[in-house]
Amino acid sequence: MDKETLYRFFEGKATPEQESEIRAWMESSDENGKEFFRERKLFDAIVLLGKQDKEVTENKRPFYTRIPVRELLKIAAVIIFTLSATLFIQNKILSDDRVAMNIVSVPAGQRVNLTLPDGTNLWLNACSTLKYPAVFTKNKREIILDGEAYFEVAHNKKKPFIVHTGKCDVEVLGTKFNVEAYSNKSKFETSLMEGSVKVSLASNNAESLVLAPDNRAYLERGKLVSAKIEDYGNYRWKEGLICFKNLPFSDVMLKLEKYFDIRIVINNKKVRSCILTGKFRQSDGIDYALKVLQKDVYFNFKRSENNDVIYIY
C-alpha cells in the first residue's frame, strides 16, 4: 500500500473506495497490519510535533517522507504511543472484538493537542492517559480516558462519540466539553460548553442525566447531579493557564505539582487552609507563581538538593 493513500486515510480524506481497499489490505496479512500501525504511529508523531505542513520540496515529495524517523520518535520523551494488533479491551467498550488501540500518556508538566481518526480535536491534560482505536469502524466512536481532556467532537449523528471513564460515561454527537476523571481521585466532572451530552454512571447506565450548555455534571455521594458552570477559568489549562478561584492553599499546591512536575511538601500548617484566587501562565515557571502567592500568604520555600522537591515553611 502506498504511503500517500495511507496518510490520506489517517487524515480522514480517503474516498470510501480507498477506505475499503486499505481495510482489505490491512486484514490480508499480519505483515500488512504491522505496517499499517507503524505508519499510523509515525503519522501521529508528525502531527504532535507540529510538522503537518503540507508544503513539498523541490522534488515534490510529500511532507511526511522528508522528516527523519529518528526525529519523529523524539516525541516519545513526552508522549508514549503503544500500538498492538492483539490488544483485548476487557470491558464493555469493544466486548469481543480484537482491536488495535493507540495509547497516549501525558506526563506531569505537559499537555498535548491531537486529532482522532474521525476528526475530533482534543487537548489532553497533564498526568492523563487516552486510549482510542486506530480506526473507528463500528456504529460508535468509543475512547477511554483516565485524567482530564477538553473535546471538540466532530459531528456525526450516525456514530455517537462516547468517553468511558472509571466512574462515568459521556455520550455526545457533536459538541465542546471538558471531562475530569483521574482514576486516583474520587472527583468526576463533565462541563459542557456547546451542544448536548448524556452522562451515565459506568456501573449503572440507567442512572443518567442530559446536560445543557453552561452546565456541569459531577458525583455527589455516588449520585449524578448538575449545576451551572461558575468559573470558566478552570478550563483554560489547554491554553497553558493555571487558574483557581477561592481554593485552599493546599489544593493550589496540588495544581502546581501537576503542572510543573515537581513534588511540594507543606511544612507550614498555618498556610494550608488559606483561600486563594489567581491565574498564572505555565510558561512563567513555578518559582514565579510561588513568589506571587507570597504577596498574599506569608511563607517561604526552598528546593531540595536534587531540585525535585519544594518545601514550604
Side-chain angles (χ1 to χ4, degrees):
M1 180 62 60
D2 66 280
K3 286 188 178 183
E4 187 170 353
T5 302
L6 275 179
Y7 279 62
R8 285 182 62 81
F9 178 77
F10 297 149
E11 291 178 291
K13 297 179 180 180
T15 65
E17 292 77 14
Q18 287 174 326
E19 290 181 2
S20 297
E21 180 184 353
I22 289 171
R23 290 194 178 99
W25 168 79
M26 181 178 65
E27 296 170 359
S28 64
S29 72
D30 289 341
E31 187 59 35
N32 288 351
K34 291 178 182 178
E35 182 179 345
F36 176 89
F37 298 124
R38 183 168 58 249
E39 293 299 333
R40 175 75 209 200
K41 179 178 180 179
L42 293 177
F43 174 83
D44 285 337
I46 291 170
V47 173
L48 293 175
L49 281 169
K51 293 184 176 179
Q52 62 271 44
D53 175 18
K54 297 298 189 297
E55 293 181 0
V56 294
T57 57
E58 292 181 0
N59 60 4
K60 304 301 181 182
R61 285 188 297 152
F63 76 104
Y64 47 79
T65 65
R66 296 184 281 110
I67 303 174
V69 172
R70 182 177 298 178
E71 184 178 357
L72 294 178
L73 297 183
K74 286 180 182 178
I75 197 70
V78 177
I79 306 165
I80 302 171
F81 282 86
T82 302
L83 297 169
S84 172
T86 58
L87 179 64
F88 285 86
I89 305 301
Q90 299 296 333
N91 56 29
K92 61 187 176 183
I93 284 195
L94 296 163
S95 55
D96 334 347
D97 293 345
R98 197 165 90 169
V99 177
M101 300 290 285
N102 291 342
I103 303 177
V104 183
S105 294
V106 184
Q110 303 290 336
R111 66 186 187 281
V112 169
N113 179 225
L114 66 154
T115 302
L116 299 184
D118 67 327
T120 290
N121 182 56
L122 67 89
W123 283 92
L124 197 59
N125 206 353
C127 305
S128 300
T129 297
L130 181 74
K131 298 180 182 180
Y132 65 96
V135 182
F136 293 115
T137 59
K138 303 183 70 175
N139 58 355
K140 293 180 180 179
R141 297 171 287 170
E142 299 182 272
I143 66 171
I144 308 170
L145 173 67
D146 179 354
E148 184 172 15
Y150 181 91
F151 297 87
E152 295 181 356
V153 177
H155 184 77
N156 186 341
K157 64 181 181 180
K158 295 181 179 179
K159 284 189 176 184
F161 188 94
I162 302 174
V163 181
H164 293 282
T165 76
K167 302 174 182 69
C168 296
D169 299 330
V170 184
E171 180 178 345
V172 304
L173 295 177
T175 187
K176 296 180 181 180
F177 63 103
N178 192 87
V179 177
E180 183 176 355
Y182 288 93
S183 60
N184 60 351
K185 297 181 181 178
S186 59
K187 180 180 179 180
F188 167 86
E189 185 169 301
T190 294
S191 305
L192 181 65
M193 287 70 183
E194 293 182 13
S196 176
V197 301
K198 178 182 178 182
V199 185
S200 308
L201 286 180
S203 58
N204 180 13
N205 285 157
E207 183 171 339
S208 63
L209 57 81
V210 177
L211 282 181
D214 303 316
N215 283 269
R216 59 192 179 94
Y218 58 96
L219 286 175
E220 188 174 272
R221 297 179 181 177
K223 300 291 185 181
L224 278 169
V225 294
S226 63
K228 282 285 187 181
I229 295 175
E230 299 171 354
D231 182 13
Y232 275 91
N234 290 329
Y235 317 114
R236 300 191 67 185
W237 57 264
K238 65 186 191 307
E239 303 170 39
L241 293 176
I242 305 168
C243 304
F244 46 94
K245 185 177 181 180
N246 298 327
L247 206 62
F249 184 91
S250 56
D251 289 348
V252 174
M253 293 304 105
L254 290 176
K255 276 182 173 283
L256 297 184
E257 282 187 332
K258 180 172 74 172
Y259 289 110
F260 293 107
D261 190 19
I262 194 167
R263 184 180 168 217
I264 300 177
V265 177
I266 305 175
N267 292 326
N268 184 345
K269 296 182 179 180
K270 293 181 180 180
V271 303
R272 285 181 173 273
S273 58
C274 293
I275 303 302
L276 298 170
T277 295
K279 177 173 64 177
F280 301 109
R281 288 198 174 275
Q282 192 172 347
S283 58
D284 290 336
I286 190 168
D287 290 273
Y288 171 81
L290 291 173
K291 287 176 182 177
V292 171
L293 292 177
Q294 283 179 320
K295 296 179 181 179
D296 295 321
V297 180
Y298 180 76
F299 69 91
N300 291 299
F301 67 92
K302 65 179 180 180
R303 291 177 177 264
S304 64
E305 291 184 4
N306 295 330
N307 211 35
D308 58 351
V309 180
I310 291 179
Y311 296 95
I312 304 292
Y313 63 96

